[in-house]
Amino acid sequence: MEDFDVRTSVLILLFTLSLGICHADLNQNSGLLCSAADNSTSESSFRVNLDNLLGLLTEKRPSSNGFFKTTVGKRSGKIYGLIQCRGDVSADNCANCTREAFAVALRDCSKSKNVQVWFTWCSLHYSGEHFFGVWDQDSAAIFNKTNFENASIVSRGFDFMSEVATMAPKRPLMFHTAVLDAGKFGKRYGMAQCTRDISRRDCSRCLDTQLMTFRSSIENNRGWEVYGSSCSMWYHDYQFYSNISITANDGESRSPSIIILC
């Protein structure tokens, strides 16, 4: 049974944690947040600006290490948009995730001006209001109630993720992965990432706040994910990330970014 815990905002969450022997890191729709319906979204100028925003975010993202923000339009018709892909996915999968996120936004939030969509591999945010550089505390945790952690690993796992949260803001892309060797209990894999429009200080505050906010819900689970407007965290007992950066050191993208472990 899947469950979710929301402390700072109400989000629509769709997520399934695999319990099988074979694990795959698949790009699933993990959450959606739509503002109240706004009749101005039906105006042709807004639709044109939104289409232009989609084009820019999809085109520019690979050359920006999976992160790009821009503004389209003027005055009241201005739209601020941001896309960020998870730091280990390829440029092609990042582009595909961007298109999928926009498809969901246009389908499920067609009358909203402030929209956020979370997929496993990317997050999309666009709004008629300026939000760049502002730490947003909206977050939601998703986990499986029946997939409990071994009691002797619970505190070690939480301390491990606290270390991951400490390291992420210090990394060039505010993205960090790590492995915890739990001996006879196997390994645990952690990842943390902040949107690159916020400061490193706010990145640290964002990740720490997520851990403290959801601790009672997630710390005894073998797998959980927290998605937020400004930062996100992942913790699993299998290697879900691909260790493939969006842009390699030589500037060439690498693919694929789907990991299947049996």
Side-chain angles (χ1 to χ4, degrees):
M1 176 180 179
E2 295 78 27
D3 199 2
F4 64 89
D5 191 354
V6 182
R7 301 289 173 83
T8 56
S9 180
V10 177
L11 299 100
I12 301 170
L13 295 172
L14 306 169
F15 189 75
T16 302
L17 290 177
S18 173
L19 294 177
I21 297 175
C22 199
H23 300 282
D25 181 38
L26 303 175
N27 190 36
Q28 302 183 70
N29 183 354
S30 300
L32 180 68
L33 180 61
C34 311
S35 62
D38 188 324
N39 291 332
S40 65
T41 57
S42 61
E43 297 176 1
S44 59
S45 58
F46 178 83
R47 307 309 299 183
V48 169
N49 288 339
L50 195 56
D51 288 342
N52 289 338
L53 181 67
L54 169 60
L56 285 171
L57 293 180
T58 305
E59 174 188 357
K60 299 294 185 181
R61 160 233 22 93
S63 61
S64 304
N65 285 321
F67 169 82
F68 186 71
K69 61 183 178 69
T70 190
T71 305
V72 176
K74 299 179 180 179
R75 300 184 181 88
S76 61
K78 185 179 293 186
I79 306 177
Y80 301 85
L82 180 155
I83 188 76
Q84 177 154 317
C85 292
R86 209 174 70 183
D88 62 318
V89 305
S90 68
D92 287 344
N93 282 330
C94 182
N96 290 335
C97 188
T98 302
R99 286 188 285 267
E100 288 184 45
F102 255 101
V104 168
L106 296 176
R107 183 191 68 210
D108 297 336
C109 303
S110 61
K111 295 186 180 298
S112 299
K113 271 197 167 181
N114 188 353
V115 177
Q116 296 184 66
V117 179
W118 292 268
F119 271 77
T120 311
W121 294 346
C122 71
S123 62
L124 166 70
H125 187 183
Y126 64 81
S127 175
E129 299 180 3
H130 184 276
F131 63 89
F132 299 154
V134 179
W135 170 33
D136 189 333
Q137 297 187 50
D138 286 348
S139 294
I142 45 185
F143 50 91
N144 190 314
K145 271 188 173 180
T146 64
N147 194 19
F148 293 120
E149 180 62 280
N150 184 283
S152 64
I153 306 300
V154 170
S155 61
R156 290 180 63 190
F158 190 83
D159 290 344
F160 163 67
M161 286 306 296
S162 295
E163 293 175 6
V164 173
T166 298
M167 291 303 300
K170 301 176 182 179
R171 299 301 188 191
L173 302 182
M174 293 196 291
F175 167 79
H176 182 62
T177 64
V179 181
L180 168 67
D181 189 346
K184 65 179 181 179
F185 299 107
K187 295 180 179 179
R188 302 295 183 265
Y189 300 83
M191 174 188 292
Q193 175 170 284
C194 294
T195 56
R196 275 179 264 155
D197 62 314
I198 66 173
S199 68
R200 295 185 185 278
R201 178 173 179 271
D202 282 345
C203 176
S204 180
R205 294 167 62 200
C206 184
L207 294 170
D208 288 344
T209 298
Q210 285 186 344
L211 282 175
M212 292 301 104
T213 299
F214 298 108
R215 178 170 187 167
S216 62
S217 301
I218 62 176
E219 68 175 343
N220 65 343
N221 280 263
R222 292 172 67 90
W224 51 264
E225 301 183 358
V226 178
Y227 290 90
S229 300
S230 298
C231 65
S232 297
M233 306 184 75
W234 298 258
Y235 175 82
H236 288 289
D237 61 351
Y238 61 92
Q239 186 178 332
F240 60 94
Y241 54 83
S242 65
N243 284 322
I244 301 172
S245 61
I246 291 174
T247 303
N249 292 333
D250 57 5
E252 296 179 359
S253 62
R254 301 175 182 176
S255 61
S257 64
I258 297 178
I259 286 292
I260 300 178
L261 301 175
C262 299

